[in-house]
Amino acid sequence: MKIRRPAVSGMFYAGTAGELQEQIEWCYRHELGPGTIPQVNSIGLRRLVAMVVPHAGYYYSGPVAAHAYKELAEDGIFDTAVILGPNHTGYGGPVSVWAEGSWSTPLGDVEVDKKLAQRLLGDVIRVDETAHVHEHSIEVQLPWLQYLYGKVRIVPVVMLAQDLETARRVGKSIAQAGGNLIVIASSDLTHYEPHSVAMEKDSSVIEAIIALDEEELYLRCERLRCTMCGYGPVAAAMVASKDMKGDKASLLKYATSGDTSGDFSRVVGYGSIVIKR
């Protein structure tokens, strides 16, 4: 069985199981976090279709990410998480899926949903493991899922091509695949600008996401020269959500790295956003 080994364990998040569990709990209890550790609602209504979650080091973005995962836990049980991330490394094809085997973290192994991955193939999504080997945007989401659910199944997809047409085709492919899914779009927002500038730009981008208007998202990113790294995965999640009857989006939490580090001169913006039926 193919096993994808961790690339950023001990860097973006703690490198041992005990320390990682403590770190996740710290994120939940942090003053910027939701304040409490959630319990999974096994009889939830499953209204949550998709989430936008940051992927920086847990010290910086973890308290913001915790809001989305608390909402997920309270929503009920899904079968598979389709996790979309930007390709920061440049390796691999335009849109790449790791289609079988498992991904390893300090909390254990996460199974890839081979049948669902196969259903996504045939349009722009291709099997390409090289795109995933060094990429962090999907990996950092896995311990959150493992902490809540223990065993979980995923389909990891990274996007090197993030143009609007590609994002729409990825989103359509996910929606057509069917099943009891949660779509997780992994993205940070503005990179390395003053706190006030980041807040202004990110507010405009978040407004377009909440309106579920992927074309407006691209227009604003271009007009503002926004450095959001995962606009393609976010747009794909928006398209998939609308096809899966998701029609209500809301911002749970926004903060920047300055809010945790105290350095507001060059920050990265983080937002947790959910889309529901």
Side-chain angles (χ1 to χ4, degrees):
M1 184 174 70
K2 297 178 181 177
I3 299 177
R4 193 272 191 185
R5 302 295 179 186
V8 294
S9 175
M11 293 179 286
F12 278 61
Y13 56 85
T16 68
E19 291 174 335
L20 182 51
Q21 289 175 334
E22 289 180 5
Q23 189 176 42
I24 290 171
E25 290 171 1
W26 173 85
C27 292
Y28 280 119
R29 294 188 174 117
H30 192 276
E31 63 181 1
L32 296 175
T36 58
I37 298 172
Q39 297 294 319
V40 174
N41 180 4
S42 61
I43 56 172
L45 297 175
R46 282 296 293 124
R47 294 175 54 228
L48 187 55
V49 180
M51 315 191 304
V52 178
V53 191
H55 58 231
Y58 284 17
Y59 172 76
Y60 296 101
S61 68
V64 173
H67 286 267
Y69 284 104
K70 181 176 184 290
E71 191 87 0
L72 180 63
E74 293 171 351
D75 185 64
I77 304 293
F78 59 89
D79 292 332
T80 302
V82 178
I83 310 178
L84 306 172
N87 184 335
H88 294 87
T89 68
Y91 294 112
V95 184
S96 305
V97 63
W98 185 296
E100 61 180 314
S102 64
W103 284 42
S104 176
T105 83
L107 298 183
D109 291 341
V110 178
E111 178 190 355
V112 174
D113 187 336
K114 182 177 179 180
K115 291 183 178 179
L116 179 58
Q118 290 296 319
R119 294 205 299 272
L120 295 183
L121 301 177
D123 188 7
V124 294
I125 303 175
R126 300 284 186 268
V127 176
D128 191 334
E129 294 166 5
T130 61
H132 292 269
V133 173
H134 303 291
E135 176 55 50
H136 68 274
S137 60
I138 291 174
E139 178 184 329
V140 297
Q141 308 301 340
L142 303 185
W144 291 100
L145 296 170
Q146 291 173 294
Y147 179 90
L148 291 173
Y149 300 97
K151 295 294 183 181
V152 66
R153 293 191 303 172
I154 64 167
V155 175
V157 180
V158 289
M159 298 176 63
L160 184 59
Q162 295 197 56
D163 59 278
L164 179 56
E165 178 59 25
T166 296
R168 281 176 166 160
R169 290 165 71 179
V170 170
K172 294 286 184 183
S173 295
I174 294 168
Q176 290 167 5
N180 178 20
L181 310 178
I182 180 67
V183 182
I184 301 174
S186 180
S187 181
D188 296 335
L189 300 173
T190 294
H191 286 65
Y192 311 126
E193 298 203 48
H195 181 80
S196 59
V197 175
M199 288 188 64
E200 184 176 355
K201 290 185 176 183
D202 292 343
S203 175
S204 180
V205 167
I206 289 168
E207 189 176 67
I209 297 170
I210 290 174
L212 295 176
D213 188 338
E214 68 274 10
E215 187 168 354
E216 184 64 22
L217 170 62
Y218 278 74
L219 290 172
R220 293 188 181 198
C221 283
E222 183 176 1
R223 184 174 72 246
L224 297 170
R225 296 183 180 178
C226 184
T227 50
M228 174 185 183
C229 57
Y231 53 92
V234 171
M238 292 161 67
V239 171
S241 295
K242 288 187 284 187
D243 281 3
M244 295 161 66
K245 299 184 179 179
D247 59 359
K248 298 180 182 67
S250 57
L251 174 68
L252 301 179
K253 183 66 177 180
Y254 173 82
T256 76
S257 58
D259 292 310
T260 52
S261 72
D263 180 0
F264 294 96
S265 61
R266 294 176 75 247
V267 306
V268 179
Y270 311 122
S272 272
I273 299 169
V274 293
I275 305 173
K276 295 184 176 183
R277 298 181 181 91

